[in-house]
Amino acid sequence: MNFIHQTLDDLRQSGLLREMRQVDGPQGPTIRIGGRDLVCLCSNNYLSLASHPELAEAAAQAARDLGCGSGASRLVSGTMAIHAELEAAIARFKHRQAAVIFPTGYMANVGAISALVSRDDAVIVDKLNHASIIDGCRLSGAKLLVYPHCDPAKLDRTLQNASRYRRRLVITDSVFSMDGDVAPLPDITSVCARHDAMLMIDEAHATGVLGPTGRGTEEYFGMLGDPRYAGIIVMGTLSKAIGSIGGFVAGSRELIDYLCNLARSFIYTTALPPPACAASIAAIRLIERDHRPLADLRANVELLNGLLRDAKLIELVGNAGRVTPIFPIRIGDVSRAMNVSLRLFDAGYLCPAIRPPTVPEGTSRLRVSLQAGHTEVQLRGFVQALRQALQG
Ligand SMILES: *Cc1c(COP(=O)(O)O)cnc(C)c1O
């Protein structure tokens, strides 16, 4: 067992050992750690719904009415009316015929990808795609081809060379988790159509966040409801802006029937518990009815862009600023990123350094993610603390 000790020691020496901080109390714009309230700038709780009273009440009611467990796989006796209700809500929200839920977004990616392609096929991914996509690709056994980040011309070239495979599946994050940039979906869609390739988008950071009513990247680009784009396979998670837990895939009725029969991470696992489903349903209803949380989030994105510009720090996140709530504060060196993060922690801002292997070597960063519930005072304080931390 010496390798375990040795590996941990190596990670510690190179500043890459990961440790967990315990949060006392709920997830919100501020969180309590070690008796101190910190402004939380690293959660994917974009709309601050994770501890919203409407979601909590829906979950509590479901627990009282239906209990806490679902008891079995969906295909055995685990499918409850509340699962169908949630799937219908997702399908409606994403303008698709149908949807299927998985216990997590990770399992949705792994299950869907490995069901759609196998050894005779090719799966073509953006260089910066999320780890769960890569794991699904590996599990599928399909040939893995990688194209440079957000580069439809290179994707076109890659697909030309992939014509000998039986099927081609292109997958991209629609909002990239570590950089917060948006994939050029209209161009990617036409390249895929030209080469008769399937397209799947991972809407983990777009659902509830992008587009006038938060329906995601298709809405952002004005593609929603356009029959030319109805074939795009939409994957997403209920654990980020939706504030609960669970993953989903939305698409045609046939696609969903296919996944229910072939996706192993759907078949061989227990169905989501009723309280989690109830919270997700409540969140989708809230987002459809009340556009305030999204408007507040947008206002905070604009505010932080402006504050970083005024502080002459905008080049750290890219000169044009950001349209999504994810701001990569690019620092580069691991130990410097750790140092800046520690200084921010001392000043009351939780913003951990993101290090390899999550991001490429030499691109360590602070990943700031904004919430609807952050206040102007909190964001002004953060930029001031950041400026001081960067000087040290
Ligand atoms: C978080 C994330 C997932 C996984 O979703 P979970 O519900 O947390 O398992 C998948 N893809 C992307 C791009 C993500 O950021």
Side-chain angles (χ1 to χ4, degrees):
M1 301 289 269
N2 205 25
F3 75 97
I4 292 177
H5 177 80
Q6 189 62 47
T7 304
L8 288 173
D9 215 46
D10 290 350
L11 286 171
R12 200 174 289 115
Q13 296 290 331
S14 44
L16 294 177
L17 189 72
R18 294 157 186 254
E19 283 169 301
M20 287 177 268
R21 281 197 188 95
Q22 183 178 303
V23 173
D24 300 311
Q27 295 286 344
T30 63
I31 53 178
R32 196 159 185 82
I33 295 176
R36 272 201 315 151
D37 288 320
L38 290 110
V39 180
C40 180
L41 291 161
C42 52
S43 170
N44 303 309
N45 182 17
Y46 298 117
L47 297 176
S48 301
L49 295 185
S51 54
H52 192 287
E54 243 176 80
L55 274 68
E57 184 46 41
Q61 189 64 47
R64 284 191 293 268
D65 294 347
L66 302 166
C68 290
S70 57
S73 160
R74 290 288 301 279
L75 294 177
V76 183
S77 63
T79 294
M80 303 168 77
I82 201 163
H83 294 119
E85 194 186 336
L86 174 54
E87 287 169 342
I90 294 167
R92 184 183 69 229
F93 191 65
K94 290 293 195 180
H95 286 234
R96 289 296 187 279
Q97 281 177 358
V100 55
I101 46 176
F102 294 74
T104 67
Y106 184 101
M107 292 171 77
N109 269 333
V110 166
I113 297 165
S114 60
L116 288 167
V117 286
S118 60
R119 244 191 25 221
D120 299 329
D121 308 318
V123 60
I124 301 102
V125 301
D126 185 289
K127 187 164 179 15
L128 297 186
N129 273 358
H130 190 259
S132 57
I133 295 176
I134 302 306
D135 291 359
C137 294
R138 287 186 181 142
L139 186 66
S140 75
K143 176 72 180 172
L144 179 62
L145 302 170
V146 180
Y147 65 92
H149 180 53
C150 286
D151 190 337
K154 292 274 170 51
L155 169 62
D156 189 77
R157 193 108 39 93
T158 309
L159 280 170
Q160 268 168 32
N161 297 329
S163 57
R164 66 176 179 283
Y165 293 96
R166 180 183 59 173
R167 292 200 279 267
R168 289 156 297 284
L169 172 64
V170 174
I171 311 172
T172 182
D173 288 28
S174 52
V175 171
F176 286 84
S177 53
M178 292 300 140
D179 292 81
D181 50 345
V182 183
L185 195 53
D187 291 344
I188 289 176
T189 312
S190 35
V191 170
C192 289
R194 203 150 58 234
H195 294 279
D196 191 27
M198 299 180 279
L199 173 61
M200 174 169 154
I201 57 175
D202 179 335
E203 292 265 275
H205 299 277
T207 302
V209 172
L210 272 193
T213 63
R215 281 176 162 73
T217 313
E218 294 173 289
E219 189 185 11
Y220 174 78
F221 283 114
M223 301 161 71
L224 206 59
D226 185 329
R228 281 177 301 167
Y229 304 118
I232 298 176
I233 301 168
V234 177
M235 173 272 163
T237 176
L238 304 165
S239 65
K240 289 170 179 160
I242 305 295
S244 178
I245 182 94
F248 65 83
V249 176
S252 69
R253 183 71 255 168
E254 277 207 320
L255 171 79
I256 300 311
D257 290 344
Y258 176 90
L259 292 178
C260 292
N261 278 275
L262 289 135
R264 293 169 64 87
S265 63
F266 175 82
I267 301 167
Y268 298 106
T269 195
T270 302
L272 272 173
C277 296
S280 294
I281 293 167
I284 293 171
R285 286 207 185 117
L286 189 151
I287 293 168
E288 285 176 330
R289 179 191 79 226
D290 180 2
H291 297 168
R292 256 265 285 298
L294 184 54
D296 289 347
L297 180 64
R298 294 257 158 83
N300 280 341
V301 171
E302 276 321 296
L303 176 62
L304 185 58
N305 273 318
L307 291 170
L308 289 172
R309 240 174 239 123
D310 295 346
K312 310 232 177 320
L313 294 174
I314 195 75
E315 66 278 6
L316 289 175
V317 304
N319 270 321
R322 298 277 109 190
V323 290
T324 68
I326 303 169
F327 288 68
I329 312 280
R330 296 193 182 86
I331 294 183
D333 179 61
V334 173
S335 61
R336 180 159 152 77
M338 294 287 287
N339 196 276
V340 173
S341 169
L342 266 178
R343 283 162 171 261
L344 285 169
F345 184 82
D346 290 340
Y349 302 91
L350 184 66
C351 190
I354 309 285
R355 302 167 275 173
T358 306
V359 293
E361 204 68 49
T363 70
S364 288
R365 68 196 63 183
L366 309 181
R367 174 186 178 274
V368 170
S369 47
L370 294 179
Q371 294 184 32
H374 285 136
T375 66
E376 179 169 346
V377 171
Q378 287 167 346
L379 297 186
R380 284 187 185 281
F382 165 67
V383 172
Q384 198 172 7
L386 175 66
R387 203 162 49 178
Q388 280 164 5
L390 286 166
Q391 278 160 6

